[in-house]
Each structure stands twice: as structure tokens, then as C-alpha cells.
Amino acid sequence: MTGAGTKVHLTREHGLALLAQMLRIRRFEERCAELYTQEKIRGFLHLYIGEEAVATGVMETLTPEDRIVATYREHGHALARGISMNAVMAEMYGKAAGCSRGRGGSMHLFDRETNFYGGNAIVGGGLPMAVGLALADRMQDRAALTCCFFGEGAAAEGEFHESMNLAALWKLPVLFVCENNLYAMGTRLDLSEAETDIAAKARGYAMPAEAVDGMDVVAVEAAARRLGTEIREGGGPRFLECRTYRFRAHSMFDPQLYRTKEEVEAWTERDPIARLRAWLEEVRYLHAGDLDRIEAETADEVEAAVAFAEAAEWEPVEDLMTDVGAEART
Ligand SMILES: Cc1ncc(C[n+]2csc(CCOP(=O)(O)OP(=O)(O)O)c2C)c(N)n1
């Protein structure tokens, strides 16, 4: 993708790569939902279906040195960052070959190799961590940027306000990405927040902030790239609110009584995958067989990950207490 301003030029290759990445995330999670009902995956499971354009678009703009902090709805971020699907699936199963050695599960994916700091069950918990990582990078003269993903529900937490303030005060290299899907579990944004414009809250801390259509992967990527460049040039933190929607329930235990079928259907019409696909067809980037090929490759990757997780070992019982507490100092 080229073009830093409002005009974006997307090559066929890049357009197909974005489509393939979003499909990978979606098919992986659809399979996870099935595995959950079969009790292969236990504990909590929060699906990102509908929101794929956010992780996919933003992650395209980051370098390997950059750091990522995410929430408990982070399978998409982990996959888009480049953690292998095998390692993510094994983690979902709780197997020792998982990216957190089977100890984290769905909500605590972690990978040092890719600077992926998780995976955090605490709403807003990643925000101060992102500020700390960025402060450490600055103090140690590293050129990395920290990208912090969180939901709009986190904007109601004290940690959000403390993090905005310190990041802006110290001009830290953080890209805050708010995934505003309108609901915090069953609580609609306008029933819990007096100010529903989340980007405006960041501006209240003197941080440049903007909102983008989170169902449009190209728009997300363009905005993240532009804001990332400003951060890398020493401009201090930037805030990107992505207006998005989760098509599925909050987690696997949620009858969704707080929203209507019509509302879900209306958002489904804006499905980021269908939308990119339609655009790729319109500009004749999507050739006959492209979609079938991408779907087949994705299905193979997902099934290979399931086979990997099935065959992977459980942690030996004798290792159960390792890394649970700090070693006693003598
Ligand atoms: C500190 C804290 N308070 C409450 C919860 C319970 N909880 C889990 S998810 C959630 C909603 C968060 O919504 P949002 O931040 O908008 O993210 P989304 O689930 O929509 O992606 C809540 C309140 C929690 N995990 N941590």
C-alpha cells in the first residue's frame, strides 16, 4: 500500500493479502467455536468475528521491533502478528506446545519472539503496560513503537485515564487503538458513558486522536500508517478509534439479550471481509479461482493446527509448579 494522505493506492497483491489474513482469522475462530462446543477448548473464549479489519489493517503497519499489547479478544492480533497458527491453537487446547506453554489459554496468548505481550483478561490492564514498554524503549534509545489494542469498555477504567495522561505528558511512542464495538459485555456505550466519543476523551489529554471506519481494512491501515509515522517522527502518542462490531456473542456464555437481531444484521451487511472482496472484484483484482485458492489454503492451515494441537503433549505433572511463584532467595 502506498500513499500517506487520504488517497491510498492498493496493489492487487496487497489487497489479496489483506483478504487472506482476515479470512485466516475468521476461519480459525469459527473452528475454535466448534472445538469449544466439543470441549476441546475450555475456559473462556471471546471471538473477534466481525472485527478482523482492525487487527489486520493495523498490524500491516508495524515493524518486527514494535511491541503489541492486546486484550482477551486477541486471537486475530496474535495470528496477524505472525505467531504460528499451530502455537495459537495448541495454546487454546492448553497444550505445552502453545505459545504460552499451555498456561495462558485463549485470553493470555504471549510470544516474546514477535514482541507480542498479550493477551490480558483485565479490562484496561494492557494500557499501563503499553505505557511502561514505551517508556522503557525511550529510556533505552530503542526505535520501537508500542501498539495497544483495547475495547471502548476500557475507557471507563481509571487505568485508561492514567495511561492517556502519562503517555501524552511524556510524549511516549504509543499507538492506542480503541476497538469500539459499542458493547462492553451487555452494556451499551451510551448507557454507561456520558461522553460516547472515545477519541474526544483522548483529546482531553492533549493527544491527537481520530476515528475511522473499523469495518474498512484499507481505511484502518491508512490511518494507522499515517499515525505511526507521526509517532516514529517523535510526535508522541496517537489515538485511533476504530468503529467496529462483533457479530458473535461477547463470549460463549451470552444470550445477547441486550441487542436486536436487526441491529446485528445491519452490521453484518458491512462485513469487512465481504466488503473487501466486493471491492477487489469491482476493480478486477480478484481473479477466477483466487477466492477458492485462499479458502483452501486457509482450511488446510486450520486443520493442520487442529491436528498439531491434538497430537501435542500436555505439560508433565512434575512441571506443574514451575514458574508459579518466584524462586525463594537465599
Ligand atoms: C477490570 C475488569 N472489570 C470487569 C471485567 C469483566 N469484563 C470482562 S469483558 C468486559 C467488557 C469489556 O468490554 P470492551 O472493553 O468494550 O471490550 P470488548 O469485549 O467489547 O472487546 C468486562 C466488563 C474484567 N475482565 N476486568
Side-chain angles (χ1 to χ4, degrees):
M1 190 165 93
T2 56
T6 45
K7 217 156 172 48
V8 175
H9 178 66
L10 196 67
T11 62
R12 170 177 134 81
E13 190 192 14
H14 191 60
L16 290 185
L18 292 173
L19 185 70
Q21 187 66 271
M22 290 196 290
L23 271 167
R24 253 183 107 224
I25 297 169
R26 180 147 319 168
R27 299 291 176 253
F28 172 85
E29 288 206 318
E30 286 168 348
R31 193 73 173 90
C32 286
E34 286 170 22
L35 292 163
Y36 193 84
T37 58
Q38 295 163 15
E39 299 190 1
K40 294 282 189 182
I41 295 174
R42 315 291 291 267
F44 287 95
L45 182 69
H46 305 87
L47 301 179
Y48 195 55
I49 291 176
E51 305 188 33
E52 295 92 342
V54 181
T56 300
V58 172
M59 221 60 88
E60 285 289 329
T61 71
L62 303 179
T63 72
E65 291 72 37
D66 293 338
R67 303 174 193 280
I68 289 98
V69 175
T71 66
Y72 46 82
R73 199 181 295 289
E74 88 284 29
H75 314 142
H77 308 83
L79 293 173
R81 180 56 175 177
I83 307 180
S84 83
M85 195 180 281
N86 283 0
V88 176
M89 188 61 95
E91 189 58 41
M92 309 293 271
Y93 270 64
K95 297 282 181 83
C99 58
S100 306
R101 305 212 330 257
R103 291 178 172 224
S106 162
M107 298 203 284
H108 300 106
L109 303 176
F110 176 88
D111 181 48
R112 197 162 52 180
E113 291 280 295
T114 56
N115 279 315
F116 192 85
Y117 291 84
N120 196 325
I122 306 300
V123 173
L127 287 152
M129 197 163 79
V131 172
L133 284 166
L135 179 62
D137 280 335
R138 238 264 301 280
M139 291 174 79
Q140 294 175 24
D141 274 334
R142 283 189 293 258
L145 171 160
T146 298
C147 180
C148 181
F149 295 90
F150 54 96
E152 85 292 345
E157 297 279 352
E159 284 173 308
F160 171 87
H161 299 276
E162 292 165 353
S163 301
M164 292 300 116
N165 182 53
L166 288 182
L169 181 67
W170 294 335
K171 298 208 173 353
L172 297 177
V174 187
L175 176 61
F176 292 101
V177 180
C178 178
E179 307 187 309
N180 181 0
N181 62 15
L182 301 175
Y183 292 93
M185 292 180 98
T187 306
R188 211 174 70 207
L189 180 60
D190 63 350
L191 297 179
S192 59
E193 292 286 296
E195 173 56 85
T196 57
D197 182 342
I198 310 285
K201 290 179 194 280
R203 278 183 223 115
Y205 292 99
M207 190 183 306
E210 59 188 76
V212 70
D213 179 354
M215 307 304 265
D216 179 346
V217 66
V218 178
V220 170
E221 182 179 341
R225 195 173 294 285
R226 185 165 31 76
L227 297 179
T229 301
E230 291 171 12
I231 297 169
R232 292 181 207 283
E233 286 169 351
R238 293 290 185 273
F239 192 99
L240 182 62
E241 177 191 343
C242 299
R243 303 217 166 122
T244 183
Y245 201 76
R246 60 172 161 72
F247 296 165
R248 300 282 184 110
H250 166 76
S251 71
M252 300 302 280
F253 314 99
D254 169 15
Q256 304 190 60
L257 300 176
Y258 48 83
R259 62 186 190 180
T260 62
K261 268 200 182 118
E262 291 73 30
E263 181 185 298
V264 179
E265 273 165 27
W267 276 91
T268 311
E269 306 250 307
R270 303 178 54 200
D271 184 331
I273 296 180
R275 200 156 146 191
L276 179 64
R277 181 191 156 174
W279 183 81
L280 291 170
E281 278 169 347
E282 197 183 306
V283 298
R284 300 186 197 287
Y285 276 177
L286 197 68
H287 301 166
D290 278 342
L291 194 63
D292 287 348
R293 177 181 48 79
I294 293 171
E295 286 280 17
E297 284 168 6
T298 307
D300 285 350
E301 189 186 9
V302 172
E303 288 320 305
V306 174
F308 176 83
E310 286 282 339
E313 303 286 331
W314 298 107
E315 190 171 34
V317 171
E318 51 274 20
D319 285 353
L320 213 58
M321 298 304 284
T322 57
D323 303 328
V324 172
E327 294 290 319
R329 292 186 193 196
T330 50

